């Protein structure tokens, strides 16, 4: 089955700096890669996703890149703000029912 | 659009009792619903996948007789934790996807925090 590895587990940046979180996956059949932001005690919120037919997608300060050959994808947050502080999860789909396999998460802290 | 609710948001129960958690899609028909468990400071672990009108598919290591899942309609799935024990205390989150939502995109409920005493 699919296995998703996520690094780093914690990331601390200064406000205004960029943050990058990286994930690798094992199943070459995966073709959907969402990123979720989860605040303490809340539901995961989809912030951006990418499908295997594109290599990069951007939405304001957030971008995701995908390298299918190397089986890795990354989340880039520019001009970070304190409200970006949260746990971020990457995921990859698996199987015909669209199961998502999640990475272990990255706790991002943005210091003002 | 694509709103998912869960009830209750938190529950405390005694060891040995059963607890039912409801997951509803409010504005779309959820052909598939997913149940996750999340322990503190850990990731979301998929427990089972259910399609409306079918038996749920459980992930390896998840006891289907302990975690009963019913997906009787296109807007409602329930998870019943039977004979709960303290180690079942966790944050349970459902998600849903539908025939007319974006392919593979899942919409998450707000979660249910279960504490077993």
């Amino acid at each position: 089955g699919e296995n998703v590895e996520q690094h780093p587990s914690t990331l601390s940046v200064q406000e205004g700096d960029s943050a990058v979180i990286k994930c690798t996956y094992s199943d070459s059949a995966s073709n959907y890669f969402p990123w979720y932001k989860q605040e303490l005690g809340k539901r995961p919120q989809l912030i951006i996703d990418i499908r295997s037919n594109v290599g990069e997608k951007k939405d304001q300060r957030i971008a995701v890149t995908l390298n299918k050959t190397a089986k890795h994808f990354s989340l880039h947050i520019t001009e970070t703000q304190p409200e970006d502080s949260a746990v971020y999860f990457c995921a990859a789909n698996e199987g015909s029912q669209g199961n998502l396999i999640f990475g272990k998460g990255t706790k991002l802290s943005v210091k003002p | 659009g694509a709103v998912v609710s869960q009830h209750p948001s938190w529950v405390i129960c005694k060891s040995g009792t059963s607890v039912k958690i409801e997951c509803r899609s409010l504005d779309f028909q959820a052909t598939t619903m997913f149940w996750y468990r999340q322990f503190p400071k850990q990731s979301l672990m998929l427990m089972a996948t259910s399609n409306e009108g079918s038996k749920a598919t459980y992930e390896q290591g998840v006891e289907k007789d302990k975690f009963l899942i019913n997906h009787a309609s296109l807007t409602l799935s329930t998870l019943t934790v039977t004979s709960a024990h303290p180690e079942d205390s966790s944050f349970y989150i459902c998600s849903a996807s539908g025939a007319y939502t974006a392919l593979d995109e899942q919409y998450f409920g707000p979660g249910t925090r279960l504490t077993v005493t």
Side-chain angles (χ1 to χ4, degrees):
Chain A
E2 176 66 280
N3 183 50
V4 177
E5 300 281 343
Q6 183 172 347
H7 299 280
S9 56
T10 60
L11 180 59
S12 182
V13 300
Q14 284 295 130
E15 182 177 2
D17 288 350
S18 295
V20 180
I21 303 170
K22 298 182 179 182
C23 288
T24 61
Y25 61 99
S26 60
D27 187 354
S28 57
S30 294
N31 57 13
Y32 175 63
F33 309 94
W35 285 89
Y36 289 89
K37 174 183 180 182
Q38 188 181 30
E39 296 175 354
L40 192 62
K42 302 276 184 71
R43 78 182 83 195
Q45 299 266 8
L46 178 69
I47 56 171
I48 196 166
D49 57 15
I50 192 167
R51 298 187 186 273
S52 59
N53 57 342
V54 297
E56 184 174 358
K57 184 176 178 181
K58 190 174 180 180
D59 183 4
Q60 299 184 341
R61 296 186 297 110
I62 296 172
V64 56
T65 58
L66 170 65
N67 183 326
K68 281 213 70 179
T69 304
K71 296 204 202 66
H72 66 70
F73 56 112
S74 301
L75 176 72
H76 304 254
I77 306 175
T78 58
E79 300 172 30
T80 54
Q81 301 165 4
E83 49 266 39
D84 294 330
S85 297
V87 179
Y88 291 80
F89 293 99
C90 64
N93 66 335
E94 175 190 64
S96 60
Q97 295 194 93
N99 293 359
L100 290 179
I101 304 301
F102 284 81
K104 291 190 183 301
T106 296
K107 183 176 181 180
L108 174 64
S109 300
V110 180
K111 300 187 184 306
Chain B
V3 179
V4 177
S5 70
Q6 262 182 261
H7 179 81
S9 55
W10 60 270
V11 57
I12 301 172
C13 72
K14 292 187 176 180
S15 187
T17 61
S18 295
V19 173
K20 181 186 283 189
I21 302 170
E22 292 185 350
C23 177
R24 293 181 186 273
S25 57
L26 299 184
D27 54 359
F28 69 103
Q29 293 185 327
T31 50
T32 306
M33 284 188 168
F34 306 85
W35 286 95
Y36 296 86
R37 181 167 50 182
Q38 186 176 35
F39 292 109
K41 297 185 179 181
Q42 293 190 25
S43 188
L44 291 90
M45 299 301 297
L46 180 65
M47 299 175 68
T49 303
S50 72
N51 292 303
E52 183 262 341
S54 304
K55 287 185 179 180
T57 302
Y58 290 81
E59 294 298 299
Q60 194 170 9
V62 177
E63 300 173 60
K64 61 181 179 182
D65 294 331
K66 180 172 180 62
F67 298 100
L68 303 178
I69 291 171
N70 184 283
H71 190 168
S73 78
L74 283 171
T75 59
L76 174 64
S77 177
T78 60
L79 167 68
T80 301
V81 183
T82 62
S83 187
H85 288 104
E87 56 265 32
D88 297 324
S89 299
S90 187
F91 193 48
Y92 291 86
I93 311 176
C94 71
S95 69
S97 63
Y100 300 105
T101 57
L103 183 64
D104 289 334
E105 189 166 332
Q106 294 183 21
Y107 302 90
F108 282 85
T112 297
R113 185 160 303 283
L114 170 64
T115 302
V116 184
T117 62

